Amino acid sequence: FLSTRGLRSIPSLSQFRRLRYLWVNDNKIQDLTFLIKNYSLTELYLNNNELTDISGALKHLCSLQILFLHNNELKKLGKTVKELKGMISLKILNLFQNPLAYDPDYRLYVIYFLPSVQLLDRKLVTPRERESALHLYNPKKTWVMQSIAFGKRRDTSLGTMVGFSRCTQPARRPIMPSVLKWFGNVQVMDLLCSFCRVPFEDPEEAVLVRAMTRSLMEFSSVDWNKVATCQERRLKDKAEVPLEKLTVQFR
C-alpha cells in the first residue's frame, strides 16, 4: 500500500515476484518501469497520478483482473487499449477522467477490443453495448451472424448487402500418381479432386459462404400413439393403416 505519499517514482519491485495487490494511487507517478517483473499482479490501482503513456509497461500483466487508471493524462486510446489486449482475465477497468475518454466512440471501442471487461468506468457492460460495438467495428461478422440466425429468426436479406461477394473456390490439391494409376478413369479422378480441396484459410470466409448458400432444412413429425406395436401387429388380421408423417421444409 503506497498510495497518497506524493511519490514521483518507485524503485523496482522485481524482488516481490508473488505480489498480487498494489495500491500506488494518488501520487505523482509518470513512469511504470518498476512493474516490469511483477507478473502475478491481479489488482493494480494507478488512479490519480500523472501518467501520459503506458505503452510497454503493463502488457506482461496477463493475470490482472482489476485495473484503475482513471484521472491520469492518457491521450491515445488506440495505444492504451493495445497495451491491455493481452489481459484476458481483466474484469474491471477504469479509464474515465483521461483525455482519451472524450473520444466519441470511446466506450464501444474499449468494449470491442477488450471483451473480457465486465465493468467499465463503474458501469456494467450490457449485451446491447457489445452488440453495438460489434456492429460498429466488425460489420462483416455482424451481418454473417444475422444471416445465419442461430436460435432466432432474422429478416436479413442476403440480396441487399453491398460489398460482399462469394469467395472463390479453394485451390485443388494434387492427386498422387499412384492414385491416378490405380483408378485410370478421368471421371473418377475429377471426383477425387473435388474432395481434395484446400480448406478456407480464413474461417470467417467459410461461414460467409455458408450463410450465402443456405441449405434446405427438413423436419418430420409422427404421432407415435397411432403406430401399432409389434404385439398389436401380430394379433390384428386387418391391414395396417398407413403411417401419417408431417414434413416441413425451409431454407
Side-chain angles (χ1 to χ4, degrees):
F1 187 85
L2 297 173
S3 65
T4 321
R5 302 196 180 190
L7 300 174
R8 293 186 177 275
S9 62
I10 296 178
S12 175
L13 300 177
S14 58
Q15 57 181 320
F16 307 107
R17 296 295 181 92
R18 298 183 180 180
L19 182 65
R20 295 184 60 191
Y21 312 103
L22 179 61
W23 287 264
V24 288
N25 52 293
D26 296 280
N27 286 294
K28 299 179 181 180
I29 296 173
Q30 299 179 357
D31 184 20
L32 298 177
T33 53
F34 60 91
L35 296 172
I36 194 168
K37 297 292 185 178
N38 302 106
Y39 300 102
S40 300
L41 277 172
T42 58
E43 296 185 16
L44 180 57
Y45 302 88
L46 293 167
N47 49 296
N48 302 311
N49 277 288
E50 298 179 359
L51 296 170
T52 57
D53 189 11
I54 61 171
S55 299
L58 300 178
K59 61 183 178 181
H60 61 288
L61 304 179
C62 300
S63 300
L64 212 57
Q65 298 177 11
I66 299 177
L67 177 60
F68 283 10
L69 282 168
H70 57 277
N71 198 17
N72 277 282
E73 297 298 327
L74 301 174
K75 299 177 181 179
K76 297 182 179 180
L77 179 60
K79 291 182 66 176
T80 301
V81 171
K82 183 180 180 180
E83 184 69 16
L84 308 180
K85 276 187 176 181
M87 301 179 184
I88 59 177
S89 300
L90 189 61
K91 298 291 187 295
I92 301 175
L93 175 64
N94 281 353
L95 288 172
F96 62 93
Q97 293 181 352
N98 279 286
L100 57 78
Y102 295 100
D103 188 286
D105 297 320
Y106 150 74
R107 185 171 176 87
L108 294 181
Y109 185 90
V110 175
I111 290 173
Y112 177 76
F113 288 101
L114 301 176
S116 65
V117 174
Q118 299 176 2
L119 193 68
L120 176 60
D121 294 343
R122 301 179 295 189
K123 183 180 177 183
L124 190 67
V125 177
T126 65
R128 186 177 185 86
E129 286 180 317
R130 294 194 187 278
E131 186 176 349
S132 299
L134 181 64
H135 179 72
L136 180 62
Y137 293 103
N138 198 340
K140 178 180 176 181
K141 185 174 181 180
T142 302
W143 173 71
V144 170
M145 292 174 63
Q146 290 177 341
S147 300
I148 298 176
F150 289 111
K152 56 184 176 179
R153 188 177 184 83
R154 297 279 186 150
D155 294 328
T156 305
S157 176
L158 294 176
T160 58
M161 296 302 297
V162 179
F164 296 99
S165 60
R166 290 180 180 271
C167 301
T168 57
Q169 284 189 341
R172 297 170 181 252
R173 289 179 180 171
I175 302 298
M176 299 301 292
S178 58
V179 176
L180 298 178
K181 182 179 179 181
W182 187 72
F183 280 97
N185 188 313
V186 177
Q187 294 182 349
V188 176
M189 289 192 299
D190 291 340
L191 181 61
L192 286 174
C193 289
S194 66
F195 284 104
C196 296
R197 298 186 184 281
V198 177
F200 288 90
E201 295 181 0
D202 185 358
E204 290 190 1
E205 292 182 359
V207 177
L208 181 61
V209 172
R210 171 65 182 84
M212 299 181 68
T213 57
R214 298 179 178 180
S215 61
L216 186 68
M217 302 187 69
E218 179 178 295
F219 291 90
S220 299
S221 61
V222 177
D223 186 359
W224 292 102
N225 293 325
K226 298 181 179 180
V227 179
T229 63
C230 294
Q231 185 178 4
E232 290 174 343
R233 292 196 189 102
R234 288 196 301 268
L235 296 177
K236 292 182 179 179
D237 297 330
K238 61 182 180 179
E240 187 175 347
V241 179
L243 184 66
E244 294 183 1
K245 181 173 68 172
L246 177 64
T247 302
V248 179
Q249 296 180 342
F250 66 93
R251 289 192 182 275

